[in-house]
Amino acid sequence: MHILETYALASGSKIDKPFIYTKYAPLPFDNYITVQSCGKAQSRQYEYWQEVIDFIKPALDEMGIAIVQVGSKEEPALVGVLPLNGQTDLGQLSYVISRSKLHLGVDSCGIHIASAFDIPMVAIYGNSDPRCCGPFFGNKEKQSIITPFDFEKVY
């Protein structure tokens, strides 16, 4: 059972599509994807984002699609992206992600914001089971969840 369903069941609440407050954040372009490279826990770190950016950037450049890095100021800066990490509040982060073509990230806030806005995503999960704490909203066919575990065999 997803953690959101557990909380709703325990509190007698109904789960509905969330309202997420957005606050305008100016960007120099309209076509972009977002990437959030880290989460707070060590298990939410992925060290190969620069290689991912280097691989996809030429194709995105041909299509006129930019890359925007979001997240905290502690996250390592990526080369070839517009660095907004540490420069947005939660409302601005939601605005930026809600208008992106795709969100790439680890198990963190950005994944859940993208899910609520039905933004296609590639999400990397470390030691947490995405069946219980993964994206809850949005079209599951637009969500690629990567995890090192086969949780079917763990339980």
Side-chain angles (χ1 to χ4, degrees), residues 7-41:
Y7 287 142
L9 186 61
S11 66
S13 300
K14 179 183 172 191
I15 301 171
D16 201 357
K17 184 173 168 69
F19 169 80
I20 298 181
Y21 170 75
T22 62
K23 184 165 76 173
Y24 177 74
L27 291 173
F29 36 69
D30 291 326
N31 291 325
Y32 61 91
I33 68 169
T34 51
V35 59
Q36 183 174 6
S37 62
C38 295
K40 289 185 180 183

Side-chain angles (χ1 to χ4, degrees), residues 116-129:
F117 285 109
D118 199 23
I119 303 299
M121 73 176 71
V122 177
I124 299 175
Y125 276 72
N127 66 345
S128 56
D129 184 348

Side-chain angles (χ1 to χ4, degrees), residues 17-23 90-101 103 109-121 135-139 142-143:
K17 184 173 168 69
F19 169 80
I20 298 181
Y21 170 75
T22 62
K23 184 165 76 173
L90 190 56
Q92 292 168 320
L93 173 65
S94 297
Y95 177 88
V96 170
I97 291 175
S98 74
R99 284 157 175 71
S100 67
K101 304 277 185 214
H103 180 75
C109 178
I111 292 297
H112 301 290
I113 293 170
S115 168
F117 285 109
D118 199 23
I119 303 299
M121 73 176 71
F136 189 80
F137 298 98
N139 182 345
K142 297 193 301 187
Q143 300 174 356

Side-chain angles (χ1 to χ4, degrees), residues 70-92:
V70 297
S72 72
K73 64 182 175 186
E74 290 81 23
E75 296 184 26
L78 298 170
V79 177
V81 303
L82 175 66
L84 288 185
N85 48 317
Q87 299 179 42
T88 59
D89 61 27
L90 190 56
Q92 292 168 320

